[in-house]
Amino acid sequence: MLKKLLLAALLAVPTYAIEVEGLIPIAGYQSRQDNLITCQDGSQIKVEFLTPDMPRIQMSYKKRLEPNPSWAIAKTDWAPTAVTTSEDTSKIQIASANLKVIVHKNPLLIEIQDKNGRTLSKDARPLLGDPNHTQKVFDPSAGFMTVVTKELGLDEHFYALGEKAHKLDRRRGHFRMFNSDTPKYSEGTDPIYQSIPFYISLEDNRAHGLFYDNSYRSHFDFGNSGQEYTGYGVEGGQIDYYFIDGPTIKDVVRKYTELTGRIYLPPKWALGHQASRWSYYPDRMVEKIADTYQSHDLPLDVMTLDIDYMQKYRVFTWDLKRFADPDGLSKRLKAKGLHVVNIVDPGVKYQPNQPSKDEEQPELKDQSKSYYVYNQGTQNDYFVKRKDGKQMVTTVWPGETVFVDFTKEAARKWWGDLHRAYLDHGTGGIWNDMNEPADFTEKGDTGANQRDSYFDDLGRNTPHAKNRNVFALLMCKATYEGLLRLRPNDRPYVITRAAYAGIQRYSTMWTGDAASSWEALAVSVPMFCNLGLSGETFIGSDVGGFMGRGDGEMLTRAYQISFLVPFCRNHKAQDEYDQEPWRFGSYYEGIIRKYLKLRYRLLPYIYAGLDEARTTGTPFIRPLVLEYQDDSNTYAMDDQFLAGRDLLCSPVVKPNLEKKRVYLPRGNWYDFYTGQLQSKQHQTVDAPLETVPLYARGGSVIPLGPEKNTVDALPNAPLELRVYPNAAQKAEGTLYEDDGKTQQYLHGQFARRKVTFASRTLTIEKTGYALPERNLNVRFYNTKNQSATVDGKAVPVKWTPNYIEVQFREGPQAHVVKLL
Ligand code: MIG
């Protein structure tokens, strides 16, 4: 009775500002068996430490906990963590060497403290549930929800959360996780394509992460509907979250990507400029466009084939009227240094008219009478079904369409192997579109038309609601694994639109159908930053925007961001005005060319950034807060970013501006173009259309390659090292080199070398890996020295006002350059 009163009182307390009326909290503690706690109402809580910094907390509402396998998790073989458990009348404490998880018994609240007893995270209320499936908290469209609330810090900031068309800091925002096709989205459209239910909290220079691993539709509320709480609500399944301790944001991202996996290196040419259009066809148009890029001296590595290369949108076929000789096309493009990427949609044309035929190269045969992909999928029961046991037929590009049940291992293998239809004709990469999965039957992408479908899901036959958000993840897994099976020594290159946590293990991404607008351009910057913090490093957007009419100025400003972004692809919708770099005249084209050429010069630096992301999880495109988390000027910085640790870009994201307010965090910064040391942290600088403000960090060594128009050109050209000393006259940088194509880098075939500058001496580590024969040009900025020796021998020195330069032939041994 007393307990009931207490609960009633708790529910009535008016200070709970979050809208949770009608939700019933779990009733307090009843019993414990090791780390499994059972409540009076049957709810259960399980606390496990994966590492001393990462407890996993699972909670069920008014029922027993079930095993909860996840597609997102990459690592399960953690070494055991030593844990001590203690209990008294008011609480249970489960502690590792670094963290304490305290389960307060009544009311039942979870608190996480560091080893010194500082609270890092604490529930604001017990777990809440909606027993009648009627309450609509946070969101009027929500169904049943289980809700976790945490206390919101007065100065707490929130980052990551994947792909959201939103500012950098998520504080006061509200977000849904439900993969959705949202053409022409702009800032505020939510949800869009991807669901990454992971966020980073930062307060008082202390960061932690929370990854809520549940693929049902979920809701994040960072103090939007109430002043003092953050809320997480999910419409099905159990609560299953990982607390990931910092103390730095970098630590959190490193640990999150240890848990969910890191990127792989794509072929290096994927870092090149990519040309795309919905759609370049027929084949001669593809070649004409490629030739125009080349005759205009515009760097380019990829020609993309959008949906019109197929026979009436049948995936894994070629329309031979438009592309009579796909092999010939890819060969001719390869001779120009270019690679082909084909789009692949998840929808398979529903074509139940004829029995299958066993054919060689069916992708090149007429499929109008009998479509091999539909036939094979049907025979093997690979397609998603509705409750009535029949194939779910929706409408997408092919008309009536069925989707593959990618939760089935055999279906994934089959799908992966189907990519032979491209690889056998010279295709270099696969672009997975429409994998939310988009469905034209629906207005507003509610999932309504697919609601009664179910998936095999490891034999459990679970509903669309559980599987929608992992559909793209599994499609990309199938694609990635298929490409590896088909070409075991080549690096897969996969691009996706939709995703769930863990996608970085299988695919790169782009941000879908952004509007061609200044607003969409501006929001792309915090989008890239937060995608990086969410584990995705190979990211980018359609340069210039996909829908709506652009102009030369906007396109130029877009390139002044994307020239630093790993995925750099100009793409445009079919019925929109053309937007290749030359379309608005030679003035704009000239500036775009300059920045594309600079991108190609920076490839050694960008590539080292991919290696860093692969090995540590640290993304290449970074918000300033990632490197300067004790600097409050960075917390809501939406219009600047870092490319790697050492380049700071302050793009212009509004029209008609010739100046930009720039913020440089502490330390030395150099104007990238002139090498001039900057003296002010806050300044307004000239930023005419010809120039995007760009700075190099004092303390860095930045490698630059030659100017060139394809990634693989000029392998023996000189490498330039730019040495930018910090206030202590020190600097360091990393070189990462490998063959750029094969999987041999996974077997030690690479050179990763430190370059360090201290006491006027630059040391370049030696390598056992065979480097190309080449010269090194080393530039020392901000130095008063006049002469130099290389490996003990005096060398000629070139003087300029802002730097001095020495040149020498690079060998496999270490090199030492001394300034005298
Ligand atoms: O319903 O394949 O986001 O990049 O050009 C549109 C045609 C389907 C959406 C993609 C876009 C692509 C387009 N696709």
Side-chain angles (χ1 to χ4, degrees):
M1 190 60 203
L2 198 75
K3 252 174 215 146
K4 270 211 180 114
L5 273 177
L6 207 94
L7 269 178
L10 223 136
L11 272 175
V13 174
T15 53
Y16 294 119
I18 220 159
E19 273 287 317
V20 287
E21 272 150 57
L23 293 194
I24 314 291
I26 53 171
Y29 169 81
Q30 186 177 53
S31 62
R32 174 176 72 89
Q33 218 186 2
D34 300 322
N35 58 354
L36 182 69
I37 294 160
T38 303
C39 302
Q40 290 149 7
D41 58 8
S43 300
Q44 289 192 314
I45 300 168
K46 190 175 179 183
V47 179
E48 281 168 288
F49 275 90
L50 274 58
T51 72
D53 297 335
M54 200 183 344
R56 175 186 183 188
I57 297 175
Q58 298 178 76
M59 301 171 94
S60 59
Y61 182 77
K62 291 196 174 182
K63 58 184 181 211
R64 300 178 65 79
L65 273 171
E66 307 274 346
N68 194 24
S70 161
W71 301 108
I73 302 298
K75 177 166 170 148
T76 49
D77 57 338
W78 304 91
T81 294
V83 166
T84 56
T85 305
S86 60
E87 180 170 0
D88 61 28
T89 51
S90 68
K91 61 181 186 306
I92 298 157
Q93 178 175 299
I94 301 167
S96 71
N98 299 351
L99 291 175
K100 302 175 196 169
V101 177
I102 298 165
V103 182
H104 298 278
K105 289 180 172 174
N106 242 318
L108 208 136
L109 300 173
I110 294 180
E111 178 178 0
I112 295 174
Q113 296 181 349
D114 70 10
K115 60 171 180 268
N116 304 318
R118 170 174 167 179
T119 300
L120 303 175
S121 157
K122 188 175 180 195
D123 287 352
R125 301 191 59 154
L127 184 69
L128 301 164
D130 176 3
N132 303 316
H133 298 207
T134 55
Q135 298 303 318
K136 302 189 181 301
V137 295
F138 309 154
D139 189 333
S141 68
F144 168 76
M145 277 223 257
T146 315
V147 174
V148 177
T149 55
K150 305 249 173 224
E151 290 175 356
L152 171 63
L154 200 60
D155 192 28
E156 189 174 6
H157 302 271
F158 299 97
Y159 305 102
L161 212 68
E163 184 195 42
K164 293 291 169 199
H166 187 262
K167 296 275 198 280
L168 182 67
D169 187 357
R170 310 314 199 177
R171 185 177 170 89
R172 299 294 172 209
H174 173 272
F175 307 92
R176 264 158 281 184
M177 295 293 170
F178 191 70
N179 292 2
S180 301
D181 176 13
T182 50
K184 212 172 183 172
Y185 75 90
S186 195
E187 184 176 348
T189 310
D190 182 76
I192 54 171
Y193 309 99
Q194 303 201 347
S195 296
I196 315 283
F198 159 68
Y199 70 82
I200 299 170
S201 149
L202 176 71
E203 186 167 30
D204 297 334
N205 195 17
R206 187 78 172 70
H208 70 260
L210 284 168
F211 170 38
Y212 285 95
D213 189 9
N214 182 324
S215 56
Y216 279 91
R217 193 156 91 133
S218 61
H219 306 255
F220 286 81
D221 184 316
F222 298 101
N224 174 277
S225 65
Q227 282 287 305
E228 300 175 274
Y229 307 93
T230 67
Y232 161 78
V234 65
E235 299 186 23
Q238 303 173 163
I239 301 294
D240 188 348
Y241 67 88
Y242 299 79
F243 177 93
I244 305 169
D245 198 19
T248 67
I249 296 177
K250 236 181 229 184
D251 293 329
V252 176
V253 178
R254 189 182 74 244
K255 294 167 194 177
Y256 169 73
T257 53
E258 190 179 3
L259 179 66
T260 61
R262 298 199 175 120
I263 66 159
Y264 55 90
L265 291 183
K268 200 169 175 185
W269 53 258
L271 280 173
H273 183 215
Q274 309 193 16
S276 187
R277 169 104 218 213
W278 172 15
S279 305
Y280 290 134
Y281 73 89
D283 44 11
R284 61 175 177 277
M285 171 65 73
V286 176
E287 294 183 79
K288 221 182 256 172
I289 293 287
D291 290 345
T292 310
Y293 270 96
Q294 298 198 325
S295 67
H296 282 232
D297 186 26
L298 290 161
L300 188 72
D301 274 80
V302 173
M303 288 304 302
T304 306
L305 302 184
D306 204 329
I307 48 179
D308 295 290
Y309 74 82
M310 303 179 217
Q311 292 178 29
K312 299 243 161 72
Y313 309 125
R314 288 181 189 86
V315 285
F316 306 108
T317 70
W318 294 82
D319 179 338
L320 292 177
K321 290 201 192 75
R322 293 169 174 173
F323 292 86
D325 176 17
D327 304 69
L329 175 67
S330 65
K331 278 195 193 111
R332 289 192 301 278
L333 289 173
K334 212 153 274 169
K336 298 171 182 169
L338 305 180
H339 303 266
V340 175
V341 169
N342 286 69
I343 198 169
V344 177
D345 286 354
V348 173
K349 186 177 176 63
Y350 174 72
Q351 195 178 316
N353 47 353
Q354 293 287 324
S356 78
K357 295 183 252 162
D358 224 1
E359 306 178 303
E360 286 282 297
Q361 297 202 322
E363 70 276 10
L364 300 182
K365 302 274 158 60
D366 175 12
Q367 298 291 317
S368 61
K369 298 276 163 1
S370 178
Y371 175 28
Y372 76 109
V373 179
Y374 179 79
N375 294 337
Q376 292 175 8
T378 299
Q379 274 157 21
N380 295 299
D381 194 18
Y382 290 153
F383 296 126
V384 175
K385 291 191 214 133
R386 293 194 188 274
K387 268 250 161 58
D388 61 9
K390 298 201 180 106
Q391 286 175 355
M392 175 176 72
V393 182
T394 65
T395 317
V396 203
W397 285 110
E400 288 190 312
T401 302
V402 292
F403 292 136
V404 177
D405 182 351
F406 291 112
T407 66
K408 287 186 174 173
E409 192 177 346
R412 286 200 302 274
K413 167 144 198 310
W414 166 69
W415 186 263
D417 290 343
L418 284 171
H419 288 79
R420 193 195 53 71
Y422 305 113
L423 269 54
D424 283 0
H425 304 294
T427 292
I430 299 296
W431 169 23
N432 283 341
D433 186 25
M434 303 294 273
N435 48 5
E436 293 71 34
D439 180 346
F440 295 165
T441 325
E442 300 176 347
K443 288 196 193 72
D445 225 26
T446 57
N449 177 50
Q450 301 177 33
R451 199 164 288 159
D452 73 338
S453 67
Y454 62 91
F455 288 70
D456 177 73
D457 191 19
L458 308 174
R460 295 173 299 178
N461 290 331
T462 57
H464 170 257
K466 177 169 189 281
N467 294 286
R468 180 187 184 90
N469 285 344
V470 293
F471 183 88
L473 175 74
L474 297 176
M475 181 191 184
C476 292
K477 177 176 163 70
T479 305
Y480 168 82
E481 289 171 355
L483 297 186
L484 263 185
R485 272 195 308 279
L486 292 167
R487 299 279 182 275
N489 201 32
D490 288 355
R491 299 183 191 175
Y493 177 42
V494 184
I495 316 159
T496 186
R497 194 167 72 174
Y500 184 69
I503 187 66
Q504 64 275 10
R505 309 204 291 280
Y506 308 121
S507 186
T508 68
M509 70 80 72
W510 101 110
T511 58
D513 299 346
S516 291
S517 70
W518 289 97
E519 194 189 34
L521 181 66
V523 85
S524 72
V525 172
M527 284 179 81
F528 297 153
C529 289
N530 276 317
L531 280 161
L533 296 180
S534 309
E536 296 184 77
T537 239
F538 204 106
I539 52 160
S541 61
D542 292 341
V543 184
F546 181 69
M547 285 169 100
R549 188 165 181 139
D551 61 29
E553 184 189 3
M554 199 164 72
L555 184 66
T556 304
R557 291 303 195 191
Y559 269 103
Q560 288 176 347
I561 297 171
S562 283
F563 83 103
L564 290 170
V565 174
F567 181 67
C568 177
R569 184 186 72 176
N570 187 319
H571 181 53
K572 197 74 187 183
Q574 58 176 354
D575 54 349
E576 299 286 2
Y577 194 73
D578 313 73
Q579 127 183 318
E580 291 87 357
W582 58 83
R583 296 289 186 182
F584 301 102
S586 57
Y587 168 65
Y588 301 105
E589 183 190 342
I591 306 170
I592 293 168
R593 179 182 300 110
K594 181 174 92 180
Y595 280 95
L596 284 173
K597 298 240 175 202
L598 180 53
R599 174 190 183 82
Y600 278 64
R601 290 215 60 198
L602 285 167
L603 283 170
Y605 175 74
I606 301 174
Y607 200 49
L610 290 194
D611 173 58
E612 184 183 1
R614 182 180 84 80
T615 50
T616 68
T618 305
F620 183 66
I621 298 300
R622 309 174 184 183
L624 272 65
V625 68
L626 177 61
E627 296 290 347
Y628 304 92
Q629 69 174 41
D630 57 345
D631 177 353
S632 62
N633 294 300
T634 66
Y635 293 170
M637 182 151 281
D638 294 303
D639 66 345
Q640 296 194 161
F641 63 95
L642 298 165
R645 193 175 52 156
D646 303 328
L647 285 178
L648 186 154
C649 181
S650 187
V652 175
V653 291
K654 288 181 182 143
N656 292 318
L657 290 185
E658 303 277 314
K659 304 243 176 228
K660 176 79 197 280
R661 261 202 86 72
V662 168
Y663 173 66
L664 300 174
R666 66 169 169 273
N668 282 357
W669 289 92
Y670 296 81
D671 181 302
F672 184 79
Y673 309 103
T674 64
Q676 197 103 55
L677 185 63
Q678 303 296 294
S679 55
K680 289 200 199 112
Q681 280 201 287
H682 292 272
Q683 56 180 334
T684 301
V685 304
D686 284 337
L689 193 57
E690 288 78 4
T691 307
V692 61
L694 185 66
Y695 302 90
R697 188 179 65 88
S700 69
V701 177
I702 300 183
L704 281 84
E707 204 172 282
K708 56 185 176 180
N709 285 349
T710 62
V711 169
D712 291 331
L714 304 176
N716 302 321
L719 188 72
E720 182 173 301
L721 298 178
R722 296 192 177 179
V723 182
Y724 298 101
N726 63 13
Q729 290 300 308
K730 287 187 176 160
E732 64 170 38
T734 305
L735 293 171
Y736 176 79
E737 291 159 286
D738 60 21
D739 67 24
K741 296 180 174 63
T742 73
Q743 297 289 72
Q744 291 308 309
Y745 74 101
L746 296 172
H747 309 291
Q749 290 301 304
F750 61 80
R752 185 188 294 123
R753 295 179 293 152
K754 274 241 138 30
V755 182
T756 36
F757 179 67
S759 311
R760 299 192 304 280
T761 304
L762 182 85
T763 309
I764 302 165
E765 282 179 0
K766 69 174 192 165
T767 173
Y769 175 81
L771 290 170
E773 292 262 313
R774 66 186 172 198
N775 285 338
L776 284 184
N777 300 345
V778 187
R779 286 186 182 184
F780 297 89
Y781 286 84
N782 190 24
T783 176
K784 301 213 165 51
N785 299 90
Q786 301 277 320
S787 47
T789 62
V790 173
D791 303 331
K793 286 191 204 93
V795 288
V797 172
K798 178 178 145 196
W799 292 286
T800 78
N802 285 318
Y803 63 84
I804 63 170
E805 185 174 286
V806 299
Q807 297 188 6
F808 55 95
R809 192 85 181 149
E810 184 178 30
Q813 74 279 20
H815 294 290
V816 178
V817 185
K818 270 193 193 322
L819 298 185
L820 308 166

